[in-house]
Amino acid sequence: MSDDQPKDGPGSAGPGRASGAPPRVITDTLAKPLARRFYKDASISDGPPFGILLDGKPVKTPKKRTLQVPTRRLAEAIADEWRAQEALINPARMPLTRFANTAIDAVDDAREAVAADIAAYAGRDLLCYRAEAPEALAKLQSKYWDPIIAAAEATLGAPLKVVSGVMPVEQPGETLAAFAAALTPLEAFRLTGLHVLTTLTGSAFLALALARGQLSPDAAWAAAHVDEDYQIGLWGEDAEAAVRRRARRAEFDAACRFLKLLHT
């Protein structure tokens, strides 16, 4: 039963990237033949943790582990993804399943490494590097990014260095230590969602504010794309870039929903 589940790699980023975010290797799942739907119904087991059942049988992850999630809300949403499949099982339409698989198969075995990867973004965060010119862009960056920086400093109880230009600057050790400490209590599912948001936005501080409910998804998306939107305002939007951006936004929205559904 579980062998028919779509085989996915980490669900961290779609094609393209937000301003300042380094490029990410994406899964080749979409290049593989789609499996045929082999079940009539999807349901969930009692929990927590809550399992996903197809015709009463537990779904397995690509690594043959039982697909179980911490909250009923997330389990029901994942079951809905399976119910929505038609003749073929399309992983592109199952982001919550993909994130859960990633949490169970990849992140749970490497929580420290994943947290370290997120913390590395904090050390070179998009929001800490401002344009020297033009002045209009610098003002937009300050408008969108200064409140997030101030919130991060208040949350962490430590300062952040903000500079003009692109020359690397080292953040204070106490700030990076405080950020790492904020990630320590997070289990694999929340780390997965936070990692997806960090890689999509290029900002660990923006992702953390979003995960803590300090920003709405729309506000976070706008903040992550200040530079890109400024260029679009000047030169217009490239059609292919627009397609990639819509794909990133869909992945971003799914990750936001994933984190929200982890709240009981």
Side-chain angles (χ1 to χ4, degrees), residues 24 29 35 63 67 89 107 112 122 135 141 166 171 193 234:
R24 285 279 170 181
T29 298
K63 287 190 176 180
L67 178 56
I89 301 173
V107 177
E112 290 186 4
E135 183 180 356
Q141 291 173 339
V166 296
Q171 294 295 337
L234 288 179

Side-chain angles (χ1 to χ4, degrees), residues 198-244:
T198 299
T199 57
L200 281 171
T201 63
S203 171
F205 297 119
L206 198 161
L208 187 62
L210 181 55
R212 291 187 168 187
Q214 297 170 331
L215 279 178
S216 70
D218 285 344
W221 183 259
H225 292 80
V226 169
D227 292 4
E228 184 176 314
D229 287 341
Y230 179 79
Q231 295 300 326
I232 290 173
L234 288 179
W235 310 109
E237 188 171 34
D238 176 77
E240 291 184 3
V243 171
R244 292 193 296 270

Side-chain angles (χ1 to χ4, degrees), residues 15-137:
R17 61 193 181 100
S19 305
R24 285 279 170 181
V25 176
I26 63 171
T27 175
D28 64 348
T29 298
L30 300 183
K32 299 176 182 177
L34 300 180
R36 290 189 173 278
R37 176 167 174 160
F38 55 89
Y39 56 91
K40 292 182 179 180
D41 191 27
S43 59
I44 68 171
S45 65
D46 292 334
F50 300 90
I52 314 302
L53 307 176
L54 302 180
D55 294 338
K57 298 179 181 179
V59 176
K60 299 292 185 179
T61 69
K63 287 190 176 180
K64 307 297 190 277
R65 298 171 180 175
T66 302
L67 178 56
Q68 294 179 316
V69 299
T71 68
R72 180 180 294 277
R73 296 174 66 206
L74 178 56
E76 288 286 7
I78 291 175
D80 283 342
E81 288 187 337
W82 286 90
R83 294 183 190 112
Q85 300 308 298
E86 299 177 349
L88 299 176
I89 301 173
N90 188 348
R93 297 177 181 175
M94 306 174 75
L96 302 179
T97 300
R98 178 159 42 86
F99 296 153
N101 284 341
T102 297
I104 295 167
D105 281 353
V107 177
D108 197 43
D109 293 336
R111 287 175 55 195
E112 290 186 4
V114 174
D117 193 39
I118 298 171
Y121 273 79
R124 48 184 169 82
D125 203 89
L126 164 71
L127 307 190
C128 294
Y129 294 88
R130 308 298 175 85
E132 296 176 294
E135 183 180 356
L137 176 57

